[in-house]
Amino acid sequence: ADVLDALVKLGEITGKKRRAEQLAARLRNRLGGSQPRSLGLTSVLRRPKALTIIGNKPLIVVGGGSFIGDIMRYAGVSNLAERARIAYPQYGFEQLLSDNPDLLIVAKGVIEEREMASDSNWRRLSAVKNKNIIFVDADVLSRPGPRVVEAIETISRFAHGR
């Protein structure tokens, strides 16, 4: 919501308010299309347990109260690191193994799938065994701009098969 509000304000500042409002409306409509899958049916829909990895060596994940955490929530996944006191905490591999997420969301360039598949520790995770890993463009995932809707849609489709 903040991203779309900022888009309209930027349109006002640049003299393109009408265009910005139209774009924001289109993006809100796209988000509305994701909501029945991810937000509207939370009592019916199972929210897969997920972790978003944005750093490796050390392992950095997305915690609660973060922009990417909001993306995860809108996409209909349960963030296992939601209770972290900081937005992007360092995560111990032992904790990752203990949490054993249903799926992993990984910023592209952080770690390669073949690296995960060849490492005996990573292979212990259900998400790796079942190939429930999505690699999302880091710019799309981490920049609060109009493409945030693309990140939500991509993760929602991956998590819920729609």
Side-chain angles (χ1 to χ4, degrees):
D2 290 342
V3 170
L4 299 180
D5 291 343
L7 178 64
V8 172
K9 285 180 185 175
L10 185 59
E12 289 174 12
I13 293 168
T14 61
K16 305 284 185 190
K17 181 179 179 182
R18 182 171 164 78
R19 243 177 110 184
E21 288 173 338
Q22 290 171 340
L23 176 58
R26 284 195 307 273
L27 293 173
R28 279 190 183 92
N29 284 337
R30 283 175 60 187
L31 274 178
S34 293
Q35 284 184 346
R37 288 190 300 265
S38 59
L39 297 177
L41 298 176
T42 51
S43 62
V44 176
L45 179 69
R46 182 183 163 283
R47 294 173 71 88
K49 299 181 304 177
L51 276 174
T52 297
I53 299 172
I54 59 167
N56 188 31
K57 297 179 184 174
L59 187 63
I60 307 290
V61 300
V62 171
S66 65
F67 170 72
I68 300 173
D70 289 344
I71 290 173
M72 294 173 72
R73 187 172 45 261
Y74 270 94
V77 298
S78 177
N79 183 358
L80 290 171
E82 180 73 29
R83 287 187 230 138
R85 295 177 189 243
I86 59 174
Y88 303 103
Q90 187 170 331
Y91 220 63
F93 207 85
E94 298 75 24
Q95 184 65 49
L96 178 64
L97 290 171
S98 173
D99 286 346
N100 198 21
D102 298 321
L103 61 96
L104 292 172
I105 303 160
V106 182
K108 282 184 182 175
V110 170
I111 186 170
E112 299 296 323
E113 187 171 15
R114 62 179 154 63
E115 185 179 346
M116 291 173 145
S118 67
D119 184 292
S120 60
N121 284 322
W122 282 102
R123 284 194 318 256
R124 292 169 53 194
L125 293 171
S126 295
V128 175
K129 287 179 197 172
N130 298 321
K131 297 187 179 194
N132 284 334
I133 308 165
I134 185 171
F135 295 87
V136 180
D137 183 308
D139 289 339
V140 172
L141 185 63
S142 63
R143 292 190 179 164
R147 292 174 64 192
V148 68
V149 175
E150 181 183 332
I152 293 166
E153 291 172 333
T154 299
I155 294 167
S156 181
R157 277 191 305 271
F158 176 73
H160 304 291
R162 300 178 192 177

